[in-house]
mmCIF file of all heavy atoms in Angstrom:
data_model
loop_
_atom_site.group_PDB
_atom_site.id
_atom_site.type_symbol
_atom_site.label_atom_id
_atom_site.label_comp_id
_atom_site.label_asym_id
_atom_site.label_seq_id
_atom_site.Cartn_x
_atom_site.Cartn_y
_atom_site.Cartn_z
ATOM 1 N N LEU A 17 1.594 5.392 7.063
ATOM 2 C CA LEU A 17 2.720 5.705 6.171
ATOM 3 C C LEU A 17 2.856 4.653 5.075
ATOM 4 O O LEU A 17 3.157 4.988 3.926
ATOM 5 C CB LEU A 17 4.019 5.800 6.959
ATOM 6 C CG LEU A 17 4.100 6.877 8.040
ATOM 7 C CD1 LEU A 17 5.477 6.907 8.679
ATOM 8 C CD2 LEU A 17 3.740 8.244 7.485
ATOM 9 N N LEU A 18 2.598 3.391 5.417
ATOM 10 C CA LEU A 18 2.620 2.338 4.409
ATOM 11 C C LEU A 18 1.531 2.567 3.370
ATOM 12 O O LEU A 18 1.763 2.411 2.171
ATOM 13 C CB LEU A 18 2.462 0.971 5.073
ATOM 14 C CG LEU A 18 2.346 -0.228 4.132
ATOM 15 C CD1 LEU A 18 3.574 -0.328 3.231
ATOM 16 C CD2 LEU A 18 2.144 -1.514 4.934
ATOM 17 N N LEU A 19 0.335 2.918 3.832
ATOM 18 C CA LEU A 19 -0.768 3.165 2.899
ATOM 19 C C LEU A 19 -0.485 4.362 1.999
ATOM 20 O O LEU A 19 -0.793 4.330 0.798
ATOM 21 C CB LEU A 19 -2.072 3.378 3.683
ATOM 22 C CG LEU A 19 -2.563 2.167 4.505
ATOM 23 C CD1 LEU A 19 -3.835 2.533 5.249
ATOM 24 C CD2 LEU A 19 -2.791 0.953 3.623
ATOM 25 N N GLN A 20 0.098 5.403 2.558
ATOM 26 C CA GLN A 20 0.419 6.560 1.731
ATOM 27 C C GLN A 20 1.525 6.221 0.724
ATOM 28 O O GLN A 20 1.527 6.714 -0.418
ATOM 29 C CB GLN A 20 0.838 7.721 2.634
ATOM 30 C CG GLN A 20 -0.303 8.302 3.458
ATOM 31 C CD GLN A 20 0.171 9.235 4.537
ATOM 32 O OE1 GLN A 20 1.164 9.937 4.371
ATOM 33 N NE2 GLN A 20 -0.515 9.231 5.677
ATOM 34 N N SER A 21 2.459 5.351 1.136
ATOM 35 C CA SER A 21 3.473 4.890 0.176
ATOM 36 C C SER A 21 2.838 4.044 -0.920
ATOM 37 O O SER A 21 3.199 4.156 -2.096
ATOM 38 C CB SER A 21 4.539 4.078 0.911
ATOM 39 O OG SER A 21 5.276 4.876 1.812
ATOM 40 N N ALA A 22 1.866 3.220 -0.536
ATOM 41 C CA ALA A 22 1.140 2.419 -1.530
ATOM 42 C C ALA A 22 0.408 3.320 -2.517
ATOM 43 O O ALA A 22 0.354 3.030 -3.720
ATOM 44 C CB ALA A 22 0.177 1.474 -0.839
ATOM 45 N N LYS A 23 -0.173 4.418 -2.011
ATOM 46 C CA LYS A 23 -0.861 5.363 -2.885
ATOM 47 C C LYS A 23 0.112 5.943 -3.913
ATOM 48 O O LYS A 23 -0.250 6.084 -5.103
ATOM 49 C CB LYS A 23 -1.466 6.480 -2.035
ATOM 50 C CG LYS A 23 -2.192 7.560 -2.836
ATOM 51 C CD LYS A 23 -3.417 7.027 -3.531
ATOM 52 C CE LYS A 23 -4.220 8.155 -4.188
ATOM 53 N NZ LYS A 23 -5.410 7.637 -4.919
ATOM 54 N N HIS A 24 1.307 6.272 -3.481
ATOM 55 C CA HIS A 24 2.317 6.797 -4.409
ATOM 56 C C HIS A 24 2.674 5.752 -5.455
ATOM 57 O O HIS A 24 2.811 6.054 -6.652
ATOM 58 C CB HIS A 24 3.567 7.212 -3.645
ATOM 59 C CG HIS A 24 4.666 7.702 -4.526
ATOM 60 N ND1 HIS A 24 4.668 8.961 -5.094
ATOM 61 C CD2 HIS A 24 5.833 7.097 -4.945
ATOM 62 C CE1 HIS A 24 5.766 9.102 -5.834
ATOM 63 N NE2 HIS A 24 6.479 7.997 -5.746
ATOM 64 N N ILE A 25 2.819 4.500 -5.023
ATOM 65 C CA ILE A 25 3.141 3.419 -5.962
ATOM 66 C C ILE A 25 2.045 3.231 -6.987
ATOM 67 O O ILE A 25 2.295 3.127 -8.203
ATOM 68 C CB ILE A 25 3.411 2.101 -5.204
ATOM 69 C CG1 ILE A 25 4.727 2.229 -4.412
ATOM 70 C CG2 ILE A 25 3.467 0.899 -6.147
ATOM 71 C CD1 ILE A 25 4.990 1.044 -3.455
ATOM 72 N N VAL A 26 0.786 3.222 -6.533
ATOM 73 C CA VAL A 26 -0.355 3.001 -7.423
ATOM 74 C C VAL A 26 -0.487 4.132 -8.431
ATOM 75 O O VAL A 26 -0.977 3.936 -9.539
ATOM 76 C CB VAL A 26 -1.635 2.819 -6.587
ATOM 77 C CG1 VAL A 26 -2.884 2.829 -7.466
ATOM 78 C CG2 VAL A 26 -1.563 1.498 -5.815
ATOM 79 N N SER A 27 -0.033 5.322 -8.060
ATOM 80 C CA SER A 27 -0.076 6.425 -9.009
ATOM 81 C C SER A 27 0.919 6.239 -10.156
ATOM 82 O O SER A 27 0.789 6.887 -11.207
ATOM 83 C CB SER A 27 0.221 7.749 -8.283
ATOM 84 O OG SER A 27 1.595 7.838 -7.911
ATOM 85 N N VAL A 28 1.860 5.326 -9.940
ATOM 86 C CA VAL A 28 2.896 5.074 -10.952
ATOM 87 C C VAL A 28 2.643 3.762 -11.702
ATOM 88 O O VAL A 28 2.846 3.663 -12.906
ATOM 89 C CB VAL A 28 4.291 5.037 -10.300
ATOM 90 C CG1 VAL A 28 5.375 4.682 -11.303
ATOM 91 C CG2 VAL A 28 4.591 6.349 -9.608
ATOM 92 N N ARG A 29 2.153 2.765 -10.981
ATOM 93 C CA ARG A 29 1.979 1.427 -11.542
ATOM 94 C C ARG A 29 0.880 0.707 -10.768
ATOM 95 O O ARG A 29 0.603 1.013 -9.609
ATOM 96 C CB ARG A 29 3.285 0.642 -11.461
ATOM 97 C CG ARG A 29 3.820 0.509 -10.035
ATOM 98 C CD ARG A 29 5.263 0.095 -9.985
ATOM 99 N NE ARG A 29 5.482 -1.251 -10.490
ATOM 100 C CZ ARG A 29 6.696 -1.786 -10.661
ATOM 101 N NH1 ARG A 29 7.800 -1.070 -10.370
ATOM 102 N NH2 ARG A 29 6.848 -3.003 -11.117
ATOM 103 N N GLN A 30 0.253 -0.302 -11.396
ATOM 104 C CA GLN A 30 -0.852 -1.020 -10.775
ATOM 105 C C GLN A 30 -0.608 -2.542 -10.728
ATOM 106 O O GLN A 30 -1.559 -3.319 -10.729
ATOM 107 C CB GLN A 30 -2.161 -0.738 -11.527
ATOM 108 C CG GLN A 30 -2.709 0.677 -11.366
ATOM 109 C CD GLN A 30 -1.983 1.687 -12.243
ATOM 110 O OE1 GLN A 30 -1.793 1.456 -13.427
ATOM 111 N NE2 GLN A 30 -1.576 2.801 -11.640
ATOM 112 N N ASP A 31 0.638 -2.942 -10.676
ATOM 113 C CA ASP A 31 0.936 -4.388 -10.719
ATOM 114 C C ASP A 31 1.389 -4.920 -9.364
ATOM 115 O O ASP A 31 1.945 -6.030 -9.302
ATOM 116 C CB ASP A 31 2.009 -4.683 -11.783
ATOM 117 C CG ASP A 31 3.320 -3.921 -11.552
ATOM 118 O OD1 ASP A 31 3.343 -2.984 -10.715
ATOM 119 O OD2 ASP A 31 4.330 -4.259 -12.199
ATOM 120 N N ILE A 32 1.183 -4.158 -8.297
ATOM 121 C CA ILE A 32 1.653 -4.585 -6.959
ATOM 122 C C ILE A 32 0.454 -4.656 -5.990
ATOM 123 O O ILE A 32 -0.331 -3.700 -5.892
ATOM 124 C CB ILE A 32 2.710 -3.613 -6.399
ATOM 125 C CG1 ILE A 32 3.917 -3.528 -7.332
ATOM 126 C CG2 ILE A 32 3.155 -4.073 -5.000
ATOM 127 C CD1 ILE A 32 4.962 -2.515 -6.902
ATOM 128 N N GLN A 33 0.325 -5.783 -5.318
ATOM 129 C CA GLN A 33 -0.695 -5.970 -4.286
ATOM 130 C C GLN A 33 -0.014 -5.923 -2.915
ATOM 131 O O GLN A 33 1.152 -6.283 -2.775
ATOM 132 C CB GLN A 33 -1.381 -7.338 -4.450
ATOM 133 C CG GLN A 33 -2.582 -7.573 -3.575
ATOM 134 C CD GLN A 33 -3.796 -6.767 -3.968
ATOM 135 O OE1 GLN A 33 -3.821 -6.172 -5.047
ATOM 136 N NE2 GLN A 33 -4.813 -6.753 -3.139
ATOM 137 N N PHE A 34 -0.758 -5.456 -1.889
ATOM 138 C CA PHE A 34 -0.239 -5.352 -0.521
ATOM 139 C C PHE A 34 -1.043 -6.267 0.405
ATOM 140 O O PHE A 34 -2.283 -6.204 0.393
ATOM 141 C CB PHE A 34 -0.310 -3.915 -0.021
ATOM 142 C CG PHE A 34 0.622 -2.970 -0.742
ATOM 143 C CD1 PHE A 34 0.295 -2.468 -1.994
ATOM 144 C CD2 PHE A 34 1.827 -2.597 -0.182
ATOM 145 C CE1 PHE A 34 1.142 -1.597 -2.672
ATOM 146 C CE2 PHE A 34 2.686 -1.718 -0.842
ATOM 147 C CZ PHE A 34 2.351 -1.226 -2.093
ATOM 148 N N ALA A 35 -0.353 -7.069 1.178
ATOM 149 C CA ALA A 35 -0.995 -7.954 2.161
ATOM 150 C C ALA A 35 -0.593 -7.491 3.551
ATOM 151 O O ALA A 35 0.598 -7.483 3.889
ATOM 152 C CB ALA A 35 -0.576 -9.403 1.936
ATOM 153 N N ILE A 36 -1.587 -7.105 4.367
ATOM 154 C CA ILE A 36 -1.340 -6.627 5.729
ATOM 155 C C ILE A 36 -1.931 -7.614 6.717
ATOM 156 O O ILE A 36 -3.148 -7.830 6.730
ATOM 157 C CB ILE A 36 -1.932 -5.215 5.931
ATOM 158 C CG1 ILE A 36 -1.261 -4.216 4.956
ATOM 159 C CG2 ILE A 36 -1.764 -4.753 7.384
ATOM 160 C CD1 ILE A 36 -1.826 -2.817 5.027
ATOM 161 N N ILE A 37 -1.082 -8.213 7.524
ATOM 162 C CA ILE A 37 -1.499 -9.250 8.480
ATOM 163 C C ILE A 37 -1.376 -8.705 9.891
ATOM 164 O O ILE A 37 -0.348 -8.173 10.263
ATOM 165 C CB ILE A 37 -0.595 -10.503 8.338
ATOM 166 C CG1 ILE A 37 -0.582 -11.001 6.896
ATOM 167 C CG2 ILE A 37 -1.070 -11.599 9.292
ATOM 168 C CD1 ILE A 37 0.505 -12.049 6.649
ATOM 169 N N GLY A 38 -2.447 -8.829 10.658
ATOM 170 C CA GLY A 38 -2.390 -8.397 12.059
ATOM 171 C C GLY A 38 -3.634 -7.655 12.467
ATOM 172 O O GLY A 38 -4.473 -7.277 11.631
ATOM 173 N N GLU A 39 -3.760 -7.478 13.783
ATOM 174 C CA GLU A 39 -4.884 -6.737 14.356
ATOM 175 C C GLU A 39 -4.338 -5.694 15.309
ATOM 176 O O GLU A 39 -3.174 -5.701 15.661
ATOM 177 C CB GLU A 39 -5.841 -7.679 15.094
ATOM 178 C CG GLU A 39 -6.641 -8.570 14.189
ATOM 179 C CD GLU A 39 -7.697 -9.372 14.966
ATOM 180 O OE1 GLU A 39 -7.590 -9.423 16.213
ATOM 181 O OE2 GLU A 39 -8.578 -9.942 14.332
ATOM 182 N N GLY A 40 -5.217 -4.798 15.724
ATOM 183 C CA GLY A 40 -4.842 -3.770 16.685
ATOM 184 C C GLY A 40 -5.897 -2.687 16.741
ATOM 185 O O GLY A 40 -6.903 -2.692 15.994
ATOM 186 N N THR A 41 -5.684 -1.724 17.631
ATOM 187 C CA THR A 41 -6.698 -0.699 17.876
ATOM 188 C C THR A 41 -6.930 0.217 16.678
ATOM 189 O O THR A 41 -7.939 0.902 16.610
ATOM 190 C CB THR A 41 -6.280 0.158 19.086
ATOM 191 O OG1 THR A 41 -4.957 0.668 18.888
ATOM 192 C CG2 THR A 41 -6.297 -0.679 20.360
ATOM 193 N N SER A 42 -5.986 0.259 15.733
ATOM 194 C CA SER A 42 -6.112 1.131 14.572
ATOM 195 C C SER A 42 -6.562 0.409 13.310
ATOM 196 O O SER A 42 -6.568 1.002 12.222
ATOM 197 C CB SER A 42 -4.802 1.858 14.299
ATOM 198 O OG SER A 42 -4.462 2.713 15.367
#
């Protein structure tokens, strides 16, 4: 859901970077 939200943001603007910290099975 975060990635899909990021996709929506990038379709509007390209000045935001996302940092995802952590590990897991996915």
Side-chain angles (χ1 to χ4, degrees):
L17 299 184
L18 175 59
L19 296 178
Q20 291 168 34
S21 295
K23 178 66 173 178
H24 178 76
I25 291 172
V26 170
S27 71
V28 176
R29 58 196 294 174
Q30 290 79 48
D31 59 347
I32 301 175
Q33 188 72 11
F34 292 79
I36 298 177
I37 305 168
E39 288 187 345
T41 54
S42 295

